[in-house]
PDB file of all heavy atoms in Angstrom:
ATOM      1  N   ILE A 222     -21.887  13.454  17.296  1.00 98.00           N
ATOM      2  CA  ILE A 222     -22.194  12.119  16.608  1.00 98.00           C
ATOM      3  C   ILE A 222     -22.790  11.221  17.711  1.00 98.00           C
ATOM      4  O   ILE A 222     -22.133  10.611  18.442  1.00 98.00           O
ATOM      5  CB  ILE A 222     -20.992  11.414  16.003  1.00 98.00           C
ATOM      6  CG1 ILE A 222     -20.254  12.385  14.990  1.00 98.00           C
ATOM      7  CG2 ILE A 222     -21.386  10.107  15.317  1.00 98.00           C
ATOM      8  CD1 ILE A 222     -21.048  12.819  13.771  1.00 98.00           C
ATOM      9  N   VAL A 279     -22.279  -0.594  28.201  1.00 97.00           N
ATOM     10  CA  VAL A 279     -22.205   0.674  27.486  1.00 97.00           C
ATOM     11  C   VAL A 279     -20.825   1.284  27.793  1.00 97.00           C
ATOM     12  O   VAL A 279     -20.344   1.292  28.905  1.00 97.00           O
ATOM     13  CB  VAL A 279     -23.360   1.691  27.938  1.00 97.00           C
ATOM     14  CG1 VAL A 279     -23.272   2.911  27.036  1.00 97.00           C
ATOM     15  CG2 VAL A 279     -24.640   0.995  27.858  1.00 97.00           C
ATOM     16  N   ASP A 463     -70.033   4.005  23.349  1.00 95.00           N
ATOM     17  CA  ASP A 463     -71.423   3.677  23.703  1.00 95.00           C
ATOM     18  C   ASP A 463     -72.405   4.663  23.188  1.00 95.00           C
ATOM     19  O   ASP A 463     -73.588   4.315  22.911  1.00 95.00           O
ATOM     20  CB  ASP A 463     -71.653   3.772  25.336  1.00 95.00           C
ATOM     21  CG  ASP A 463     -70.775   2.662  25.921  1.00 95.00           C
ATOM     22  OD1 ASP A 463     -70.643   1.583  25.354  1.00 95.00           O
ATOM     23  OD2 ASP A 463     -70.293   2.840  27.039  1.00 95.00           O
ATOM     24  N   PHE A 503     -45.709  20.613  15.219  1.00 97.00           N
ATOM     25  CA  PHE A 503     -45.444  21.072  13.886  1.00 97.00           C
ATOM     26  C   PHE A 503     -44.177  21.905  13.846  1.00 97.00           C
ATOM     27  O   PHE A 503     -43.967  22.695  14.767  1.00 97.00           O
ATOM     28  CB  PHE A 503     -46.567  21.884  13.277  1.00 97.00           C
ATOM     29  CG  PHE A 503     -47.667  21.092  12.615  1.00 97.00           C
ATOM     30  CD1 PHE A 503     -48.891  21.773  12.335  1.00 97.00           C
ATOM     31  CD2 PHE A 503     -47.586  19.768  12.395  1.00 97.00           C
ATOM     32  CE1 PHE A 503     -49.967  21.112  11.714  1.00 97.00           C
ATOM     33  CE2 PHE A 503     -48.629  19.042  11.797  1.00 97.00           C
ATOM     34  CZ  PHE A 503     -49.784  19.818  11.510  1.00 97.00           C
ATOM     35  N   PHE A 681     -56.045  10.987  14.019  1.00 98.00           N
ATOM     36  CA  PHE A 681     -55.538  11.896  13.062  1.00 98.00           C
ATOM     37  C   PHE A 681     -55.052  11.093  11.826  1.00 98.00           C
ATOM     38  O   PHE A 681     -55.350  11.461  10.642  1.00 98.00           O
ATOM     39  CB  PHE A 681     -54.425  12.626  13.749  1.00 98.00           C
ATOM     40  CG  PHE A 681     -53.773  13.731  12.846  1.00 98.00           C
ATOM     41  CD1 PHE A 681     -54.613  14.964  12.653  1.00 98.00           C
ATOM     42  CD2 PHE A 681     -52.617  13.718  12.240  1.00 98.00           C
ATOM     43  CE1 PHE A 681     -54.054  15.993  11.922  1.00 98.00           C
ATOM     44  CE2 PHE A 681     -52.134  14.769  11.443  1.00 98.00           C
ATOM     45  CZ  PHE A 681     -52.906  15.876  11.282  1.00 98.00           C
ATOM     46  N   ILE A 740     -56.285   1.798  -2.172  1.00 98.00           N
ATOM     47  CA  ILE A 740     -56.811   0.434  -2.279  1.00 98.00           C
ATOM     48  C   ILE A 740     -57.586   0.145  -0.964  1.00 98.00           C
ATOM     49  O   ILE A 740     -57.136   0.434   0.076  1.00 98.00           O
ATOM     50  CB  ILE A 740     -55.636  -0.544  -2.415  1.00 98.00           C
ATOM     51  CG1 ILE A 740     -54.714  -0.203  -3.521  1.00 98.00           C
ATOM     52  CG2 ILE A 740     -56.034  -1.969  -2.516  1.00 98.00           C
ATOM     53  CD1 ILE A 740     -53.388  -0.863  -3.547  1.00 98.00           C
TER      54      ILE A 740
END
Side-chain angles (χ1 to χ4, degrees):
I222 305 294
V279 187
D463 299 322
F503 275 169
F681 189 74
I740 304 166

